Amino acid sequence: MKTIIQLHEVEKQFGQQTVIPPLSLAIAEGEFLTLLGPSGCGKTTLLRMIAGFEQPTSGEILLDGQPISQVPPYKRDMNMVFQHYALFPHMTVEENILFGLKMKKVPAAEQQHRLEEVLQLTRLGELRRRMPRQLSGGQQQRVAIARAIINNPKVLLLDEPLGALDYQLRKNLQLELKNLQKNLGITFIYVTHDQEEAMAMSDRIAVMNRGVIEQLGTPQEIYLRPKSLFVATFIGENNLFRHRDAILAVRPEKVKVYKMASGGEQPRRTGRIADIVFLGSLRKIFIQLEAEETTVLAHENGDADPVWQIGERVGLGWAAEDEVTLPC
Amino acid sequence: MTGKRSRLFSAYGWFVLVFLYLPIIVLMLYSFNQSRINAVWTGFTWKWYLSLLENRHAMEALANSLTIAAWSSLLATLLGTLAALALHRYAAGVKAVLNGLIYLPIIIPDILMGLSLLVLFSQIGMSLGKLTMIAAHVTFGISFVVVIISARLAGMGNELEEAAQDLGASPWQTFRHVTLPVIAPGVVASLLLTFTMSLDDFVISFFVAGPNSTTLPLYIYGLVKRGVSPEVNALSTLMIAVTILLLVAAEVFRRKGMEKEPGNSLIM
């Protein structure tokens, strides 16, 4: 696959502080790549360097093979969807969407043609004469996307575009965005701190911590085979056990809880049930271990009969292939 | 207990309002008084307003006031807006110092401003007149313009300008199509405010006015030296009315587009 964006040893310092130590990353054409990490991990700074709002302290960024570090943002062939949308408050929806084409002096006929296309795609036709303040959060977000994609950018940068919306709307828009990306075939670089969002949409996820990409891989790789302690704990829930010089991570859905009396299989750990939380589709069981100062979390199907008593002594087991060994 | 206390507070509030506005209201009332003596009410009349219109000196002072206010508000708004735009782009450290220096004229006593400007003009050999008046009014007006425009720019943040650039707008296009329209209400508010302040200024004008640049406040002061006539009351009433009108308009414009940020009223 063709590389559309290449970061080569890109480094960023603010004053004396290094926010991003030298970092390299290749992003393929047409892929949905997510930069995932807690706030302050450098993901937004990285995105802003790609967009051109921040200058790398050293290193080079290539767009389609061309170095762009010295190119101002308004000459870069990519567009950004801002966290708070940044719609122009004094322009209608239509004027907002047409802004990019007007600035580039695209012929009026083509402007209209592309406007209709984008309005259709984002279902904004009926709202075209409204002002941004008359729109709901979800509608504003669609305008922000329409305003960006009408320019046919090579790459679309999205800075937590769903962050300000409520939970249900976010779920729906995740799917919409994913479909839009597939249909347009544009490369998406998506920044979020929400791991569920990253899992639901991305082709690949770059998990960032303190300016470093800890792991780069598909959602499955990131979830099932985390390479560091940070990735194992940041993505989903995990049980950690000390094992000689390493740490073992076992996902809660892989942990089996046994009655002690049943005999037969030798449990890997023993403990007492500390708490049970019912969440609908699943039941969370917290087990306080006897030998270690650790609480283990196990998931059980929500529709299974509740058989556990708080305080009951139980055995825990899991398959060897479900263990992930992590360096300390 | 609480009822009694709240009644006490509201009584106090009314007292303060009366204290503030009673003199002005009395002045306005007597501008409609038939008697030439301020102490007795003898009946309603418009005649003082009419005689004001026929008074050549008063009309000349009005013309001076309007010319000086127009030029000084235009210049102060232009320079102040440019200064605010420059400050908006400065790094935090430099910004604090520059901001402090620009706001200083707001709290420096007028009499010091007037005196220092007079010294300056005589040092550089500028004869006192409309030009020195305009220069002085621009000097104190700029600070207020910077305060108003800076507030709007801070409210706007960087995202809108970044979005414009991201969509392919050059720095000039960004300013022309995004920054300027967003700060426009602030610019109009600045114009109205500096116009009003120029119209009302007495202390600084007193120092830097020349023989052909007598403004309304200076003219009124001159009249009062010969006793307070109902004509003075009429003139003052008109000035108060115009000032209130302009200030309300300025406040309306300043708030326009700022609905999202409550608690932004201009306290002066």
Side-chain angles (χ1 to χ4, degrees):
Chain A
M1 234 195 273
K2 191 181 145 200
T3 299
I4 186 86
I5 284 190
Q6 172 87 51
L7 303 180
H8 185 72
E9 297 289 310
V10 168
E11 187 181 10
K12 182 66 188 176
Q13 295 173 342
F14 287 118
Q16 293 297 308
Q17 203 191 359
T18 302
V19 182
I20 298 176
L23 176 153
S24 294
L25 175 65
I27 299 164
E29 188 166 37
E31 87 169 314
F32 195 128
L33 180 104
T34 298
L35 302 172
L36 172 67
S39 60
C41 73
K43 58 192 191 297
T44 297
T45 306
L46 196 61
L47 193 77
R48 289 174 59 81
M49 284 198 288
I50 297 172
F53 299 127
E54 302 284 353
Q55 286 289 311
T57 311
S58 65
E60 187 55 80
I61 300 171
L62 303 170
L63 172 64
D64 216 2
Q66 300 297 315
I68 54 168
S69 286
Q70 300 307 315
V71 179
Y74 58 94
K75 288 185 182 158
R76 296 190 185 195
D77 198 1
M78 47 181 123
N79 287 109
M80 181 145 159
V81 176
F82 289 81
Q83 190 169 7
H84 304 291
Y85 320 130
L87 301 181
F88 305 127
H90 56 291
M91 297 182 197
T92 62
V93 166
E94 203 173 279
E95 288 166 337
N96 262 285
I97 297 174
L98 282 172
F99 187 83
L101 299 183
K102 283 220 170 94
M103 293 304 112
K104 283 169 231 147
K105 306 208 162 60
V106 170
E110 196 188 336
Q111 282 187 25
Q112 279 309 311
H113 172 71
R114 272 157 72 177
L115 173 68
E116 296 305 327
E117 222 173 67
V118 169
L119 284 176
Q120 179 114 37
L121 200 64
T122 49
R123 290 177 287 113
L124 284 167
E126 289 178 11
L127 305 173
R128 59 200 295 167
R129 307 248 181 271
R130 295 251 190 111
M131 301 303 280
R133 63 173 175 277
Q134 298 168 305
L135 303 178
S136 70
Q139 291 167 337
Q140 289 187 27
Q141 207 264 353
R142 293 218 300 273
V143 178
I145 288 170
R147 186 176 71 171
I149 61 176
I150 197 171
N151 302 290
N152 287 333
K154 285 184 180 143
V155 177
L156 191 66
L157 309 171
L158 301 102
D159 185 9
E160 309 223 10
L162 307 182
L165 304 173
D166 56 45
Y167 183 77
Q168 200 55 47
L169 192 58
R170 220 159 60 207
K171 292 273 154 203
N172 298 337
L173 284 171
Q174 282 172 17
L175 291 177
E176 261 187 48
L177 269 178
K178 177 73 193 154
N179 288 331
L180 189 72
Q181 192 263 343
K182 265 193 214 150
N183 296 337
L184 293 169
I186 300 177
T187 312
F188 273 35
I189 305 179
Y190 192 98
V191 162
T192 184
H193 64 265
D194 182 337
Q195 38 116 355
E196 261 183 68
E197 204 167 283
M199 301 283 272
M201 304 165 82
S202 319
D203 294 323
R204 285 197 302 164
I205 299 174
V207 185
M208 288 187 71
N209 185 29
R210 295 191 198 148
V212 177
I213 295 181
E214 295 239 349
Q215 190 171 354
L216 176 65
T218 63
Q220 287 84 345
E221 285 166 0
I222 299 278
Y223 187 80
L224 298 173
R225 294 288 148 207
K227 283 189 182 147
S228 72
L229 188 60
F230 176 80
V231 177
T233 49
F234 188 72
I235 316 289
E237 292 169 311
N238 232 328
N239 294 303
L240 303 175
F241 303 99
R242 188 159 278 286
H243 184 74
R244 293 196 203 98
D245 287 342
I247 291 172
L248 294 182
V250 184
R251 293 286 178 193
E253 63 271 23
K254 304 294 186 189
V255 177
K256 298 274 179 301
V257 186
Y258 304 108
K259 294 263 182 199
M260 282 306 280
S262 62
E265 209 170 331
Q266 178 66 31
R268 287 176 183 261
R269 297 288 194 280
T270 54
R272 288 184 185 280
I273 300 215
D275 209 351
I276 301 167
V277 179
F278 178 66
L279 287 175
S281 63
L282 60 84
R283 192 179 289 120
K284 289 184 170 185
I285 304 164
F286 295 88
I287 303 109
Q288 175 67 50
L289 294 190
E290 285 173 336
E292 298 164 55
E293 268 297 300
T294 307
T295 304
V296 172
L297 172 61
H299 287 177
E300 194 178 66
N301 264 340
D303 51 7
D305 291 329
V307 291
W308 307 110
Q309 303 291 322
I310 288 180
E312 189 177 353
R313 193 160 174 267
V314 292
L316 303 174
W318 55 84
E321 70 261 26
D322 292 331
E323 284 179 359
V324 178
T325 310
L326 302 167
C328 266
Chain B
M1 178 67 194
T2 50
K4 196 175 169 187
R5 184 181 280 180
S6 79
R7 246 177 293 147
L8 209 67
F9 271 122
S10 82
Y12 178 71
W14 282 109
F15 170 75
V16 170
L17 280 180
V18 168
F19 183 80
L20 284 175
Y21 289 102
L22 191 65
I24 296 176
I25 291 167
V26 168
L27 178 142
M28 288 176 145
L29 280 178
Y30 277 108
S31 74
F32 299 106
N33 190 5
Q34 272 179 357
S35 162
R36 185 157 260 288
I37 307 151
N38 258 327
V40 221
W41 179 263
T42 52
F44 182 87
T45 178
W46 287 106
K47 72 177 175 195
W48 306 118
Y49 288 87
L50 293 174
S51 80
L52 204 56
L53 281 176
E54 286 154 14
N55 182 335
R56 196 173 57 84
H57 295 293
M59 287 299 113
E60 204 172 283
L62 174 70
N64 282 341
S65 269
L66 291 178
T67 315
I68 291 166
W71 279 106
S72 63
S73 62
L74 273 174
L75 285 171
T77 301
L78 180 70
L79 294 173
T81 303
L82 292 176
L85 285 167
L87 280 175
H88 184 55
R89 278 160 186 76
Y90 262 112
V94 194
K95 203 178 194 166
V97 176
L98 283 178
N99 263 337
L101 286 175
I102 284 188
Y103 294 165
L104 208 54
I106 295 177
I107 51 166
I108 287 180
D110 280 359
I111 197 152
L112 287 185
M113 282 270 285
L115 195 59
S116 61
L117 284 165
L118 177 62
V119 170
L120 173 76
F121 292 140
S122 61
Q123 284 289 323
I124 59 173
M126 244 175 122
S127 57
L128 299 180
K130 286 205 189 75
L131 225 57
T132 52
M133 285 285 274
I134 291 170
H137 288 193
V138 167
T139 308
F140 68 72
I142 283 180
S143 305
F144 290 93
V145 177
V146 172
V147 172
I148 292 175
I149 303 289
S150 291
R152 276 206 82 84
L153 286 170
M156 179 179 82
N158 297 321
E159 261 200 347
L160 288 183
E161 289 180 333
E162 284 181 355
Q165 287 183 45
D166 182 73
L167 292 164
S170 65
W172 166 248
Q173 284 176 318
T174 301
F175 177 73
R176 164 78 187 71
H177 295 286
V178 175
T179 316
L180 195 58
V182 171
I183 63 169
V187 174
V188 176
S190 298
L191 272 174
L192 293 168
L193 185 69
T194 48
F195 190 90
T196 315
M197 289 185 4
S198 167
L199 213 57
D200 289 352
D201 180 69
F202 174 76
V203 179
I204 295 171
S205 302
F206 185 72
F207 282 91
V208 298
N212 64 346
S213 61
T214 301
T215 55
L216 282 179
L218 297 175
Y219 175 70
I220 292 173
Y221 177 72
L223 288 184
V224 169
K225 278 197 281 194
R226 279 177 273 134
V228 182
S229 73
E231 250 180 331
V232 172
N233 288 350
L235 191 54
S236 307
T237 303
L238 287 176
M239 280 197 69
I240 291 166
V242 170
T243 301
I244 290 173
L245 223 67
L246 285 173
L247 280 181
V248 168
E251 185 62 8
V252 166
F253 271 102
R254 207 189 57 80
R255 285 192 185 187
K256 212 176 141 188
M258 276 191 139
E259 294 99 355
K260 271 179 263 167
E261 304 137 75
N264 247 327
S265 85
L266 188 66
I267 296 155
M268 300 196 19

